[in-house]
Amino acid sequence: MAVTALATRMRLGVWGVRAMQARSFTSERSDNLDSTAGSVREAGGAFGKREQAEEERYFRARTREQLAALKKHHEDEITHHKKEIERLQKEIERHKQTIHKLKQHDD
């Protein structure tokens, strides 16, 4: 069960898991079934601790990946803006030279 849950989380990502959890709260269940039956984490013990550790490790790794992607995105944006600044500075210089030539022509 734990392997299946982790595989599902990896496929769906954080938001997919949240949607699944939200659906499970609204789904109708039979009154004779215990809602925590079969839950390793709720049972406690070594398996519960292991499950909790695996979940925490997964979410820490996922957070690390997301932060790395965000950092790369910002670095790419900085590089883009630096190139844009250089391009605009060249345009400014070109216009200044054109103005200087026109002033010389008028004199």
Side-chain angles (χ1 to χ4, degrees), residues 37-50:
S39 175
V40 174
R41 192 167 179 183
E42 292 292 324
F47 288 115
K49 290 178 183 176
R50 181 175 177 213

